[in-house]
Coordinates of all heavy atoms in Angstrom, one line a residue:
Chain Y
R282 N 89.6 45.8 111.2 CA 90.2 46.2 112.5 C 89.7 45.2 113.6 O 88.6 45.1 113.8 CB 89.8 47.6 112.9 CG 90.2 48.7 111.9 CD 89.9 50.1 112.3 NE 90.2 51.0 111.1 CZ 90.1 52.3 111.2 NH1 89.7 52.9 112.3 NH2 90.4 53.0 110.1
L283 N 90.7 44.5 114.1 CA 90.3 43.5 115.1 C 91.1 43.7 116.4 O 92.3 44.2 116.3 CB 90.7 42.1 114.6 CG 89.7 41.4 113.6 CD1 89.9 41.9 112.2 CD2 89.7 39.9 113.7
R284 N 90.6 43.3 117.5 CA 91.3 43.3 118.7 C 92.2 42.1 118.8 O 91.9 41.0 118.2 CB 90.4 43.3 119.9 CG 89.6 44.6 120.1 CD 88.5 44.4 121.1 NE 88.0 45.7 121.5 CZ 88.3 46.2 122.7 NH1 88.9 45.6 123.7 NH2 87.8 47.4 123.0
Y285 N 93.3 42.3 119.5 CA 94.3 41.2 119.7 C 93.5 39.9 120.2 O 93.8 38.8 119.7 CB 95.3 41.6 120.7 CG 96.2 40.5 121.1 CD1 97.4 40.2 120.4 CD2 96.0 39.7 122.2 CE1 98.2 39.1 120.7 CE2 96.8 38.6 122.6 CZ 97.9 38.3 121.8 OH 98.7 37.3 122.2
A286 N 92.6 40.1 121.1 CA 91.9 38.9 121.7 C 91.1 38.1 120.6 O 91.1 36.9 120.6 CB 91.0 39.3 122.8
E287 N 90.5 38.9 119.7 CA 89.8 38.2 118.6 C 90.7 37.4 117.7 O 90.5 36.3 117.3 CB 89.0 39.2 117.8 CG 88.0 40.0 118.5 CD 87.5 41.2 117.7 OE1 86.5 40.9 116.9 OE2 88.0 42.3 117.7
V288 N 91.9 38.1 117.4 CA 92.9 37.5 116.5 C 93.4 36.2 117.2 O 93.6 35.2 116.6 CB 94.0 38.5 116.2 CG1 95.1 37.8 115.5 CG2 93.4 39.6 115.4
A289 N 93.7 36.3 118.5 CA 94.3 35.2 119.2 C 93.3 34.0 119.2 O 93.7 32.8 119.0 CB 94.6 35.6 120.7
E290 N 92.0 34.3 119.3 CA 91.0 33.2 119.3 C 91.0 32.6 117.9 O 90.9 31.3 117.8 CB 89.7 33.9 119.6 CG 88.6 32.9 120.0 CD 87.3 33.6 120.4 OE1 87.4 34.7 121.2 OE2 86.3 33.2 120.0
M291 N 91.1 33.4 116.8 CA 91.1 32.8 115.5 C 92.3 31.9 115.3 O 92.2 30.8 114.7 CB 91.2 33.9 114.4 CG 89.9 34.8 114.3 SD 90.2 36.2 113.2 CE 90.1 35.3 111.6
L292 N 93.5 32.4 115.7 CA 94.7 31.6 115.5 C 94.6 30.3 116.3 O 95.0 29.2 115.8 CB 95.9 32.4 116.0 CG 96.2 33.7 115.1 CD1 97.4 34.5 115.7 CD2 96.5 33.3 113.7
M293 N 94.1 30.3 117.5 CA 94.0 29.1 118.3 C 93.0 28.1 117.6 O 93.3 26.9 117.6 CB 93.6 29.4 119.7 CG 94.6 30.2 120.5 SD 96.3 29.6 120.5 CE 96.1 28.0 121.3
A294 N 92.0 28.6 117.1 CA 91.0 27.8 116.4 C 91.6 27.1 115.2 O 91.5 25.9 114.9 CB 89.7 28.6 116.0
W295 N 92.4 27.9 114.4 CA 93.0 27.4 113.2 C 94.0 26.3 113.6 O 94.2 25.4 112.8 CB 93.7 28.5 112.4 CG 92.6 29.4 111.8 CD1 91.3 29.2 111.5 CD2 92.9 30.8 111.3 NE1 90.7 30.2 110.9 CE2 91.7 31.3 110.8 CE3 94.0 31.6 111.3 CZ2 91.5 32.5 110.2 CZ3 93.9 32.9 110.7 CH2 92.6 33.4 110.2
Q296 N 94.7 26.6 114.7 CA 95.7 25.5 115.1 C 94.9 24.3 115.5 O 95.3 23.2 115.1 CB 96.5 26.0 116.3 CG 97.5 27.1 116.0 CD 98.3 27.5 117.2 OE1 98.6 26.7 118.1 NE2 98.6 28.8 117.3
A297 N 93.8 24.4 116.2 CA 93.0 23.2 116.6 C 92.5 22.5 115.4 O 92.5 21.2 115.4 CB 91.9 23.7 117.5
E298 N 92.1 23.2 114.4 CA 91.6 22.6 113.1 C 92.7 22.0 112.3 O 92.5 21.4 111.2 CB 90.9 23.6 112.3 CG 89.6 24.2 112.8 CD 89.2 25.5 112.2 OE1 89.7 25.7 111.0 OE2 88.4 26.2 112.8
G299 N 94.0 22.2 112.7 CA 95.1 21.7 111.9 C 95.4 22.5 110.7 O 96.0 22.0 109.7
R300 N 94.8 23.7 110.6 CA 95.0 24.5 109.4 C 96.4 25.1 109.3 O 96.8 25.4 108.2 CB 93.9 25.7 109.5 CG 93.5 26.1 108.1 CD 92.3 27.0 108.2 NE 92.5 28.2 107.4 CZ 91.7 29.2 107.4 NH1 90.6 29.3 108.1 NH2 92.0 30.3 106.6
Y301 N 97.1 25.3 110.4 CA 98.5 25.7 110.3 C 99.1 25.3 111.6 O 98.4 25.0 112.6 CB 98.6 27.2 110.0 CG 98.6 28.1 111.2 CD1 99.6 29.0 111.4 CD2 97.5 28.2 112.0 CE1 99.6 29.8 112.5 CE2 97.4 29.0 113.1 CZ 98.5 29.9 113.3 OH 98.5 30.7 114.4
E302 N 100.5 25.4 111.6 CA 101.2 25.1 112.8 C 101.9 26.3 113.4 O 102.5 27.1 112.6 CB 102.2 24.0 112.6 CG 101.5 22.6 112.5 CD 102.5 21.5 112.4 OE1 103.7 21.7 112.8 OE2 102.1 20.4 112.1
S303 N 101.9 26.5 114.7 CA 102.5 27.7 115.3 C 102.7 27.4 116.7 O 102.0 26.7 117.4 CB 101.6 28.9 115.0 OG 102.0 29.9 115.9
E304 N 103.7 28.1 117.3 CA 103.8 28.1 118.8 C 103.1 29.2 119.5 O 103.2 29.4 120.7 CB 105.3 28.2 119.1 CG 106.1 26.9 118.7 CD 107.6 27.1 118.8 OE1 108.1 28.1 119.4 OE2 108.3 26.3 118.2
F305 N 102.3 30.0 118.7 CA 101.6 31.1 119.3 C 100.6 30.6 120.3 O 99.8 29.7 120.1 CB 100.8 31.8 118.2 CG 99.9 32.9 118.7 CD1 100.4 34.2 119.0 CD2 98.6 32.6 119.0 CE1 99.6 35.1 119.5 CE2 97.7 33.6 119.5 CZ 98.2 34.9 119.8
R306 N 100.6 31.3 121.5 CA 99.5 31.1 122.5 C 99.1 32.5 122.9 O 99.8 33.5 122.8 CB 100.1 30.5 123.7 CG 100.7 29.0 123.5 CD 99.5 28.0 123.2 NE 100.1 26.7 122.8 CZ 100.3 26.4 121.5 NH1 100.1 27.2 120.5 NH2 100.8 25.2 121.2
P307 N 97.8 32.6 123.3 CA 97.3 34.0 123.7 C 98.2 34.6 124.7 O 98.6 34.0 125.7 CB 95.9 33.6 124.3 CG 95.5 32.4 123.6 CD 96.7 31.6 123.4
G308 N 98.5 35.9 124.4 CA 99.5 36.6 125.2 C 100.8 36.8 124.5 O 101.5 37.8 124.8
D309 N 101.1 36.0 123.5 CA 102.4 36.1 122.8 C 102.2 37.1 121.7 O 101.2 37.5 121.3 CB 102.7 34.8 122.1 CG 103.0 33.6 123.1 OD1 103.1 33.9 124.3 OD2 103.1 32.5 122.6
D310 N 103.4 37.6 121.3 CA 103.5 38.4 120.1 C 103.2 37.5 118.9 O 103.4 36.3 119.0 CB 104.9 39.0 119.9 CG 104.8 40.5 119.7 OD1 103.8 41.0 119.2 OD2 105.8 41.2 120.1
L311 N 102.9 38.0 117.7 CA 102.6 37.2 116.6 C 104.0 36.8 116.0 O 104.9 37.6 115.9 CB 101.8 37.9 115.5 CG 100.5 38.5 115.9 CD1 99.7 39.0 114.7 CD2 99.6 37.4 116.6
G312 N 104.1 35.6 115.5 CA 105.3 35.1 114.8 C 105.0 35.1 113.3 O 103.9 35.3 112.8
A313 N 106.0 34.7 112.5 CA 105.9 34.7 111.1 C 104.8 33.8 110.6 O 104.0 34.3 109.7 CB 107.2 34.3 110.5
P314 N 104.6 32.6 111.1 CA 103.5 31.8 110.6 C 102.1 32.4 110.9 O 101.2 32.2 110.1 CB 103.7 30.4 111.3 CG 104.7 30.6 112.4 CD 105.5 31.8 112.0
D315 N 102.0 33.0 112.0 CA 100.7 33.7 112.4 C 100.4 34.8 111.4 O 99.3 35.0 110.9 CB 100.8 34.2 113.8 CG 101.4 33.1 114.7 OD1 100.9 32.0 114.7 OD2 102.4 33.4 115.4
E316 N 101.4 35.6 111.2 CA 101.2 36.8 110.2 C 100.9 36.2 108.8 O 100.1 36.8 108.1 CB 102.5 37.7 110.2 CG 102.7 38.4 111.5 CD 103.9 39.4 111.5 OE1 104.7 39.3 110.5 OE2 104.0 40.2 112.4
T317 N 101.6 35.2 108.5 CA 101.3 34.6 107.1 C 99.9 34.2 107.0 O 99.2 34.5 106.0 CB 102.3 33.4 106.9 OG1 103.6 33.9 107.0 CG2 102.1 32.9 105.5
I318 N 99.4 33.4 107.9 CA 98.0 32.9 107.7 C 97.0 34.0 107.8 O 96.0 34.0 107.1 CB 97.7 31.7 108.7 CG1 96.5 31.0 108.2 CG2 97.5 32.2 110.1 CD1 96.4 29.6 108.8
L319 N 97.3 35.0 108.7 CA 96.3 36.1 108.7 C 96.3 36.9 107.4 O 95.2 37.3 106.9 CB 96.8 37.1 109.9 CG 96.5 36.6 111.3 CD1 97.2 37.4 112.3 CD2 95.0 36.6 111.6
G320 N 97.5 37.0 106.8 CA 97.6 37.7 105.5 C 96.8 36.9 104.4 O 96.0 37.5 103.7
E321 N 96.9 35.6 104.5 CA 96.2 34.8 103.5 C 94.7 34.8 103.7 O 93.9 34.9 102.8 CB 96.6 33.3 103.6 CG 98.0 33.1 103.0 CD 98.6 31.7 103.4 OE1 97.9 30.9 103.9 OE2 99.8 31.5 103.1
H322 N 94.3 34.8 105.0 CA 92.9 34.8 105.4 C 92.2 36.1 104.9 O 91.1 36.1 104.3 CB 92.7 34.6 106.8 CG 91.3 34.5 107.3 ND1 90.5 33.4 107.1 CD2 90.5 35.5 107.8 CE1 89.3 33.7 107.6 NE2 89.2 34.9 108.0
F323 N 92.8 37.2 105.2 CA 92.1 38.5 105.0 C 92.4 39.1 103.6 O 91.7 39.8 103.1 CB 92.5 39.5 106.1 CG 91.9 39.2 107.4 CD1 92.6 38.6 108.4 CD2 90.6 39.6 107.6 CE1 92.0 38.3 109.6 CE2 89.9 39.3 108.9 CZ 90.6 38.7 109.8
G324 N 93.6 38.7 103.0 CA 93.9 39.2 101.7 C 94.1 40.7 101.5 O 94.1 41.2 100.4
R325 N 94.3 41.3 102.6 CA 94.6 42.8 102.6 C 95.2 43.1 104.0 O 95.1 42.3 104.9 CB 93.3 43.5 102.4 CG 92.3 43.4 103.5 CD 91.1 44.2 103.2 NE 90.2 43.6 102.3 CZ 88.9 43.9 102.1 NH1 88.4 44.9 102.8 NH2 88.2 43.3 101.2
P326 N 95.7 44.3 104.2 CA 96.3 44.6 105.5 C 95.2 44.6 106.6 O 94.0 44.9 106.4 CB 96.8 46.1 105.3 CG 97.1 46.1 103.8 CD 96.0 45.4 103.2
L327 N 95.6 44.2 107.7 CA 94.8 43.9 108.9 C 95.3 44.8 110.0 O 96.5 44.9 110.2 CB 94.9 42.5 109.2 CG 94.4 42.0 110.6 CD1 92.8 42.0 110.5 CD2 94.9 40.5 110.8
M328 N 94.4 45.4 110.8 CA 94.8 46.2 111.9 C 94.5 45.5 113.2 O 93.3 45.1 113.4 CB 94.1 47.6 111.9 CG 94.4 48.4 110.7 SD 93.7 50.0 110.7 CE 95.1 51.0 110.2
I329 N 95.4 45.3 114.0 CA 95.2 44.6 115.3 C 95.5 45.6 116.5 O 96.5 46.2 116.5 CB 96.1 43.4 115.5 CG1 96.0 42.4 114.2 CG2 95.8 42.6 116.8 CD1 96.9 41.2 114.3
T330 N 94.4 45.7 117.3 CA 94.5 46.7 118.4 C 94.4 46.0 119.7 O 94.2 44.8 119.8 CB 93.3 47.7 118.2 OG1 92.1 47.0 118.4 CG2 93.4 48.4 116.9
H331 N 94.5 46.8 120.8 CA 94.3 46.3 122.2 C 95.2 45.1 122.5 O 94.7 44.0 122.7 CB 92.8 46.0 122.4 CG 91.9 47.2 122.2 ND1 91.5 47.6 121.0 CD2 91.4 48.1 123.1 CE1 90.7 48.7 121.1 NE2 90.7 49.0 122.4
W332 N 96.5 45.4 122.6 CA 97.5 44.3 122.8 C 97.7 44.1 124.3 O 97.6 45.0 125.1 CB 98.8 44.7 122.1 CG 98.8 44.7 120.6 CD1 98.1 45.6 119.8 CD2 99.3 43.7 119.8 NE1 98.3 45.2 118.5 CE2 99.0 44.1 118.5 CE3 100.0 42.5 120.0 CZ2 99.4 43.3 117.4 CZ3 100.4 41.8 118.9 CH2 100.1 42.1 117.6
P333 N 98.1 42.9 124.7 CA 98.5 42.7 126.1 C 99.6 43.7 126.4 O 100.6 43.9 125.7 CB 99.1 41.3 126.1 CG 98.5 40.6 124.8 CD 98.3 41.7 123.8
A334 N 99.5 44.4 127.5 CA 100.3 45.5 127.8 C 101.7 45.1 128.2 O 102.7 45.9 128.0 CB 99.7 46.3 129.0
E335 N 101.9 44.0 128.8 CA 103.3 43.6 129.4 C 104.4 43.8 128.4 O 105.5 44.2 128.7 CB 103.3 42.2 129.9 CG 102.2 41.8 130.9 CD 101.1 41.2 130.1 OE1 101.2 40.2 129.5 OE2 100.0 41.8 130.1
T336 N 104.1 43.3 127.1 CA 105.2 43.3 126.2 C 105.4 44.6 125.5 O 106.3 44.8 124.7 CB 104.8 42.3 125.0 OG1 103.6 42.7 124.5 CG2 104.7 40.9 125.6
K337 N 104.6 45.6 125.8 CA 104.6 46.9 125.0 C 105.5 48.0 125.7 O 105.8 47.9 126.9 CB 103.2 47.4 124.8 CG 102.4 46.5 123.8 CD 103.0 46.5 122.4 CE 102.2 45.6 121.4 NZ 102.8 45.6 120.1
A338 N 105.8 49.0 125.0 CA 106.7 50.0 125.4 C 106.1 50.8 126.5 O 104.9 50.9 126.7 CB 107.1 50.9 124.2
F339 N 107.0 51.5 127.3 CA 106.6 52.2 128.5 C 105.6 53.4 128.2 O 104.8 53.8 129.1 CB 107.8 52.7 129.3 CG 108.4 54.0 128.6 CD1 108.1 55.2 129.1 CD2 109.4 53.8 127.7 CE1 108.6 56.4 128.5 CE2 110.0 54.9 127.1 CZ 109.6 56.2 127.5
Y340 N 105.7 53.9 127.0 CA 104.9 55.1 126.7 C 103.5 54.8 126.3 O 102.7 55.8 126.0 CB 105.7 56.0 125.7 CG 106.0 55.2 124.4 CD1 105.1 54.8 123.5 CD2 107.4 54.8 124.2 CE1 105.4 54.1 122.4 CE2 107.7 54.1 123.1 CZ 106.7 53.7 122.2 OH 107.0 53.0 121.1
M341 N 103.2 53.6 126.1 CA 101.8 53.3 125.6 C 100.8 53.4 126.6 O 100.9 53.0 127.8 CB 101.7 51.9 125.0 CG 102.3 51.7 123.6 SD 101.7 50.2 122.9 CE 102.9 50.0 121.6
K342 N 99.6 54.1 126.2 CA 98.5 54.2 127.2 C 97.8 52.9 127.3 O 97.6 52.2 126.4 CB 97.6 55.3 126.6 CG 96.6 55.8 127.6 CD 95.8 57.0 127.0 CE 94.6 57.4 127.9 NZ 95.1 58.1 129.1
R343 N 97.3 52.7 128.6 CA 96.5 51.5 128.8 C 95.0 51.8 128.5 O 94.6 52.9 128.5 CB 96.6 51.1 130.3 CG 98.0 50.8 130.8 CD 98.6 49.5 130.1 NE 100.0 49.4 130.5 CZ 100.5 48.7 131.5 NH1 99.6 48.1 132.4 NH2 101.8 48.6 131.8
D344 N 94.3 50.7 128.1 CA 92.9 50.8 127.9 C 92.2 51.1 129.2 O 92.3 50.3 130.1 CB 92.4 49.5 127.3 CG 90.9 49.5 126.9 OD1 90.3 50.5 127.2 OD2 90.5 48.5 126.4
P345 N 91.5 52.2 129.3 CA 90.9 52.6 130.6 C 89.8 51.5 131.0 O 89.6 51.3 132.2 CB 90.2 53.9 130.3 CG 90.4 54.3 128.9 CD 91.3 53.3 128.3
E346 N 89.3 50.8 130.0 CA 88.3 49.7 130.4 C 89.0 48.4 130.8 O 88.3 47.5 131.3 CB 87.4 49.5 129.2 CG 86.4 50.7 129.0 CD 85.7 50.7 127.7 OE1 85.6 49.6 127.1 OE2 85.2 51.7 127.2
D347 N 90.2 48.2 130.5 CA 90.9 47.0 130.9 C 92.4 47.3 130.9 O 93.1 47.2 129.8 CB 90.6 45.9 129.9 CG 91.4 44.6 130.3 OD1 92.2 44.6 131.2 OD2 91.1 43.6 129.7
P348 N 93.0 47.7 132.0 CA 94.4 48.2 132.1 C 95.4 47.1 131.8 O 96.6 47.4 131.7 CB 94.5 48.6 133.6 CG 93.1 48.8 134.1 CD 92.3 47.8 133.3
S349 N 95.0 45.9 131.5 CA 95.9 44.9 131.1 C 96.2 45.0 129.6 O 97.1 44.3 129.1 CB 95.4 43.5 131.4 OG 94.4 43.1 130.5
L350 N 95.4 45.8 129.0 CA 95.6 46.0 127.5 C 96.2 47.4 127.2 O 95.9 48.4 127.9 CB 94.2 45.9 126.8 CG 93.5 44.6 127.0 CD1 92.2 44.7 126.3 CD2 94.3 43.4 126.4
A351 N 97.1 47.4 126.2 CA 97.7 48.7 125.7 C 97.0 49.1 124.4 O 96.6 48.3 123.6 CB 99.2 48.5 125.4
L352 N 96.8 50.4 124.3 CA 96.1 51.0 123.2 C 97.0 51.1 122.0 O 97.3 52.2 121.5 CB 95.5 52.4 123.5 CG 94.3 52.3 124.6 CD1 93.8 53.7 124.9 CD2 93.2 51.4 124.1
G353 N 97.5 50.0 121.6 CA 98.4 50.0 120.4 C 97.8 49.4 119.2 O 96.7 48.8 119.3
V354 N 98.3 49.7 118.1 CA 97.8 49.1 116.8 C 99.0 48.7 115.9 O 100.0 49.5 115.8 CB 96.9 50.1 116.0 CG1 97.6 51.4 115.8 CG2 96.5 49.5 114.7
D355 N 99.0 47.5 115.4 CA 99.9 47.0 114.4 C 99.1 46.8 113.1 O 98.0 46.2 113.2 CB 100.6 45.7 114.9 CG 101.7 45.9 115.9 OD1 101.9 47.0 116.3 OD2 102.3 44.9 116.2
V356 N 99.8 47.1 112.0 CA 99.2 46.8 110.7 C 100.0 45.6 110.2 O 101.2 45.7 110.0 CB 99.2 48.0 109.8 CG1 98.6 47.5 108.4 CG2 98.4 49.2 110.3
I357 N 99.3 44.5 109.9 CA 99.9 43.3 109.4 C 99.5 43.2 107.9 O 98.4 43.1 107.6 CB 99.4 42.0 110.1 CG1 99.5 42.2 111.6 CG2 100.1 40.8 109.6 CD1 100.9 42.3 112.2
A358 N 100.6 43.2 107.1 CA 100.3 43.2 105.6 C 100.5 41.8 105.1 O 101.4 41.1 105.6 CB 101.2 44.2 104.9
P359 N 99.7 41.4 104.1 CA 99.9 40.1 103.5 C 101.4 39.9 103.0 O 102.0 40.8 102.4 CB 99.0 40.1 102.3 CG 97.9 41.1 102.6 CD 98.6 42.2 103.4
V360 N 101.9 38.7 103.2 CA 103.2 38.4 102.9 C 104.3 39.1 103.7 O 105.2 38.5 104.3 CB 103.6 38.5 101.4 CG1 104.9 38.0 101.0 CG2 102.5 37.9 100.5
A361 N 104.2 40.4 103.8 CA 105.3 41.2 104.4 C 105.2 41.1 106.0 O 106.3 41.3 106.6 CB 105.1 42.7 104.0
G362 N 104.1 41.0 106.6 CA 104.0 41.0 108.0 C 103.8 42.4 108.5 O 103.3 43.3 107.8
E363 N 104.3 42.7 109.7 CA 104.1 44.0 110.3 C 104.7 45.2 109.5 O 105.9 45.1 109.3 CB 104.7 44.0 111.8 CG 104.3 45.3 112.5 CD 105.2 45.6 113.7 OE1 105.7 44.6 114.3 OE2 105.5 46.8 114.0
I364 N 103.9 46.1 109.2 CA 104.5 47.3 108.5 C 104.3 48.6 109.3 O 105.0 49.6 109.0 CB 104.0 47.5 107.0 CG1 102.4 47.5 107.1 CG2 104.5 46.4 106.1 CD1 101.8 48.1 105.8
V365 N 103.3 48.6 110.2 CA 103.1 49.8 110.9 C 102.9 49.4 112.4 O 102.3 48.4 112.7 CB 101.7 50.5 110.5 CG1 101.3 51.6 111.5 CG2 101.8 51.1 109.1
G366 N 103.5 50.2 113.3 CA 103.3 50.0 114.7 C 102.9 51.4 115.3 O 103.7 52.4 115.1
G367 N 101.8 51.4 116.0 CA 101.4 52.7 116.5 C 100.7 52.6 117.8 O 100.5 51.4 118.3
S368 N 100.4 53.7 118.5 CA 99.7 53.6 119.8 C 99.3 55.0 120.2 O 99.7 56.0 119.7 CB 100.7 53.1 120.9 OG 101.7 54.0 121.2
V369 N 98.4 54.9 121.2 CA 98.0 56.1 122.0 C 99.1 56.2 123.0 O 99.6 55.2 123.5 CB 96.6 56.0 122.6 CG1 96.3 57.2 123.4 CG2 95.6 55.6 121.6
R370 N 99.6 57.5 123.3 CA 100.7 57.6 124.3 C 100.1 58.0 125.6 O 99.1 58.7 125.8 CB 101.6 58.8 123.8 CG 101.8 59.0 122.3 CD 102.3 57.7 121.7 NE 102.7 58.0 120.3 CZ 103.2 57.1 119.4 NH1 103.2 55.8 119.8 NH2 103.6 57.4 118.2
E371 N 100.8 57.5 126.7 CA 100.3 57.8 128.0 C 100.4 59.3 128.2 O 101.5 59.9 128.0 CB 101.2 57.0 129.0 CG 100.8 57.3 130.5 CD 99.3 57.0 130.8 OE1 98.9 55.9 130.6 OE2 98.6 58.0 131.1
D372 N 99.3 59.9 128.7 CA 99.4 61.4 128.8 C 99.3 61.9 130.3 O 99.3 63.1 130.5 CB 98.3 62.1 127.9 CG 96.9 61.5 128.2 OD1 96.7 60.8 129.2 OD2 96.0 61.8 127.4
D373 N 99.2 60.9 131.2 CA 99.1 61.3 132.6 C 100.5 61.3 133.2 O 101.2 60.3 133.2 CB 98.2 60.3 133.3 CG 98.1 60.7 134.8 OD1 97.5 61.8 135.1 OD2 98.6 59.9 135.6
L374 N 100.9 62.4 133.9 CA 102.2 62.6 134.4 C 102.6 61.4 135.4 O 103.6 60.8 135.2 CB 102.3 63.9 135.1 CG 103.7 64.2 135.7 CD1 104.8 64.3 134.7 CD2 103.6 65.6 136.5

Side-chain angles (χ1 to χ4, degrees):
Chain Y
R282 298 182 190 185
L283 282 84
R284 288 169 166 251
Y285 172 88
E287 298 171 85
V288 171
E290 201 176 313
M291 292 173 76
L292 293 175
M293 293 313 292
W295 291 339
Q296 286 179 41
E298 292 163 20
R300 211 169 129 185
Y301 88 119
E302 285 190 13
S303 165
E304 289 169 13
F305 174 86
R306 296 293 172 270
D309 294 351
D310 234 333
L311 302 188
D315 314 307
E316 293 185 348
T317 302
I318 197 161
L319 286 168
E321 285 166 11
H322 181 79
F323 288 98
R325 64 177 79 163
L327 167 72
M328 300 186 133
I329 306 178
T330 62
H331 299 84
W332 290 75
E335 307 91 64
T336 57
K337 291 293 181 182
F339 76 93
Y340 52 73
M341 279 199 199
K342 192 176 172 74
R343 302 292 172 92
D344 184 355
E346 289 169 21
D347 179 353
S349 76
L350 300 178
L352 294 177
V354 54
D355 281 5
V356 179
I357 309 295
V360 187
E363 185 200 329
I364 53 164
V365 168
S368 71
V369 182
R370 323 307 189 182
E371 180 54 62
D372 54 13
D373 179 68
L374 179 62

